[in-house]
Amino acid sequence: MATPTMDKLAALEADNGSHLITVTFRIRRFNPEISEEATWEDFQLEIDPKERVLDGLHKIKWEMDGSLTFRRSCAHGICGSDAMRINGKNRLACKTLIKDINPSKPITIEAIKGLTVQKDLVVDMEPFFQAYRDVMPFLITKGNEPTRERLQSPEDRERFDDTTKCILCAACTSSCPVFWNDGQYFGPAAIVNAHRFIFDSRDEAGEQRLEILNDKDGVWRCRTTFNCTDACPRGIEVTKAIQEVKRALITRRF
Amino acid sequence: MKIHKYDTVIVGAGGAGMRAAIESTKRSRTAVLTKLYPTRSHTGAAQGGMAAALANVEEDNWEWHTFDTIKGGDYLVDQDAAEILAKEAIDAVLDLEKMGLPFGRTPAGEIDQRRFGGHSRNHGEAPVRRACYSGDRTGHMILQTLYQNCIKEGVEFFNEFYVLDQLIVEEDGVKKSAGVVAYELATGEIHVFQAKSVIYASGGTGKFFKVTSNAHTLTGDGQAACYRRGLPLEDMEFFQFHPTGIWRMGILLTEGARGEGGILRNKDGERFMEKYAPVMKDLASRDVVSRSIYTEIREGRGCGPEGDHVYLDLTHLPPEQLDAKLPDITEFARTYLGIEPYTDPIPIQPTAHYAMGGIPTNVEGEVLSDNTTVVPGLYAAGEVACVSVHGANRLGTNSLLDINVFGKRAGIAAAEYAHTADYVELPENPAAQVQAQVENLLSATGTERVSVIRKELQETMDANVMVFRTEQTIKTAVEKIAELRERYKNVSVQDKGKRFNTDLLEAIELGNLLDLAEVMAVSALARKESRGGHYREDYPNRDDVNFMRHTMAYREVADGGKDSIRLDYKPVVQTRYQPMERKY
């Protein structure tokens, strides 16, 4: 049963990885030990276009310039270390294949916006995690604990499934124009994580969390630009989650 | 240099470290030192599930789970530890649920369970549904839930602090832990943490292989810190190769895919596991499945023009089931291979996955300095440790279990010890070794590059000490590693700065990988039998007479400073289960 995708599989298997192309990585460099000014630096590299942007960054670091600095760990989109601005869009370097971002032109890579750059692509994540901690991101229940598990229907479990996928990479928050202009705004990631508990049928602190998000720096700052939804590497419907929190604030039903 | 004082210091903030931190923070003043932000830890990459005989969907009990664990480990498991693992599994899952973990649910609202490799009903009769899961991101949900509860408990984290040395002081002939020395990534500053208790929970060492499911950061830092200070490493020859890594990349595709009904096929479309494991088929233990895959490949039934992989076939499963139960791994296939798992089989090959061996501990998590002697104040839990609950081969879902059961135990034991013990006095110049190491690397002008040596190491490990081993291949690896360790002395880094110097850290990590690779190869050379994940083609049978024993590897330093490895052995604890031939 040949299908168009079967042909893709055959093509994939026939590929011995010898189709290298030359690409330019144009990287925003910053190292205050050397200069207070950030500068763009171009690197030319030979690479298989099916490789990840992270592979390209490693190639530079390992073969050309060891001082190029970025965070990474799992290299397959689970740990959330390597969110960066690639061709003007927030993405994970390990989930972005070079062939998908028009390698015929220089690929621009810079740190995510709205958080202080510490060196090259590394930013200070502390304000981001502070906002996360501020929404009380843990289950809160009252009364005695049951001996076995708390019961939860598959439907109730499904209700908040989307927002459990968050890996705290900050791609959403650092793509938000409101966050760029005002670092006090909680930002989409914190709201996503509040949503994860507000809509968990086991949780009993929804009211408290909603009050936190009702603050002047809370959900009402969201201008519904959908940047966050576009940026999320986990495919979370971030803007929808924020809208659901806004609606819950109006109706006090969740 | 800064000096800090805590009751308990935990090294690592993955599942084991954070589970320990939740307990120890309630009981003692605790600091968690982690080279990554906690949520970046590789526990988050675990997918399929966490085993516990809850019996929510079919008959099950913890004795069956104990037996499966022992059999899965090819009888090298310490049976007292396996009993604890299986018995405490039930509370470990319920603890996580109460902390908020969003498990998959049955129609009745209980925690749902799925099948997984090697887990069986009544001592091997048929697969049993024992793995509690949250889609195919169970590890992600465990990591998130534990981090959330660390925030709730006010756990104090030192993020991006690399522990580079374990301080051991001998008092009255007893080796004791005095604390650790750490390097702060942001500033390059060196910190000494004096602590009554230290818990290592710093994860595995898979990055000495090329095709691996492990993160770039899994470089055996905890194992190396202890080993260099004269503590033994146990059973390092036993490394697990997970059957289903994405071809060439090694990215993990969960065994849960086969638990949901996925089938392995060769180039003829044959379900080849029926030949090798007639009862459990695709759900035999991982060592068995990985060897079967390579047997198919070697005998010319591999797929693709090079015949170097096989297929994981999910195409007969309804798309709704894939979307609900396996959303992440199907997305990996789309993202990284550009194929559609609804209609195409996924090219896979075994991928280096998990270190069964590590820092030897007893069931309380206390580290041993020989076969029986405890190092007061020193603990280890999770992949860095060897209790040994995994023996020669770990069962799928038992590592998420291990980190919760033994992370909790170590956290409690370490905090309680801190209440009764005094600080061990720091040695003179406690940071001297780390200072010298950092300064030497920063000032070095050698011609060797870290990335070149690392690549050669990974290639030799893949070629010589993977699924199939012989005396010849292992000797080749031993010689190559010795050469690379020599060349490593001539390595230099380009970044000479203090701020976020990841170039320097990669050089230090490579030093750890080289030392541990040598321990692994030397231990493997001496084990002239086949057991679990260690398969010797020149000794294809298990030899219980000579090798039913744990390997203990010690670093010895001669007067001239030259180091070598001394191997010793430790008996296996057997309680109820006599070794039998292992069939699936």
Side-chain angles (χ1 to χ4, degrees), chain A residues 44-165:
Chain A
Q44 301 248 320
L45 48 155
E46 301 270 300
I47 197 160
D48 183 335
K50 287 193 301 307
E51 291 207 78
R52 298 160 272 199
V53 169
L54 179 64
D55 297 314
L57 291 172
H58 272 145
K59 217 169 155 58
I60 295 168
K61 185 172 182 67
W62 293 343
E63 295 169 21
M64 300 179 212
D65 183 352
S67 73
L68 178 67
T69 303
F70 48 93
R71 293 190 176 104
R72 90 290 188 253
S73 187
C74 80
H76 66 284
I78 290 299
C79 78
S81 299
D82 63 349
M84 47 190 80
R85 210 167 147 78
I86 301 170
N87 284 350
K89 254 189 88 178
N90 280 5
R91 311 165 191 257
L92 297 182
C94 63
K95 260 190 117 169
T96 307
L97 304 191
I98 287 168
K99 69 178 175 59
D100 296 333
I101 49 168
N102 188 16
S104 63
K105 288 188 179 163
I107 294 167
T108 62
I109 301 171
E110 56 196 309
I112 48 177
K113 285 173 76 173
L115 295 160
T116 309
V117 180
Q118 292 176 313
K119 183 178 174 184
D120 293 344
L121 305 173
V122 172
V123 298
D124 178 11
M125 293 293 286
E126 194 41 42
F128 172 81
F129 278 101
Q130 185 59 50
Y132 171 72
R133 290 192 292 266
D134 285 345
V135 301
M136 301 194 300
F138 39 79
L139 189 74
I140 297 173
T141 58
K142 302 185 184 103
N144 294 332
E145 287 199 330
T147 41
R148 292 285 293 196
E149 66 264 49
R150 289 194 175 75
L151 299 182
Q152 182 169 56
S153 70
E155 296 71 34
D156 284 346
R157 166 66 182 79
E158 182 59 27
R159 178 68 189 85
F160 63 102
D161 189 65
D162 198 38
T163 46
T164 66
K165 295 190 290 198

Side-chain angles (χ1 to χ4, degrees), chain A residues 13 66 73 94-95 150, chain B residues 105 160 217 309 331 336 494:
Chain A
E13 291 181 313
S73 187
C94 63
K95 260 190 117 169
R150 289 194 175 75
Chain B
R105 299 287 172 160
E160 302 189 316
T217 43
H309 58 277
E331 195 201 312
Y336 296 111
Q494 285 180 295

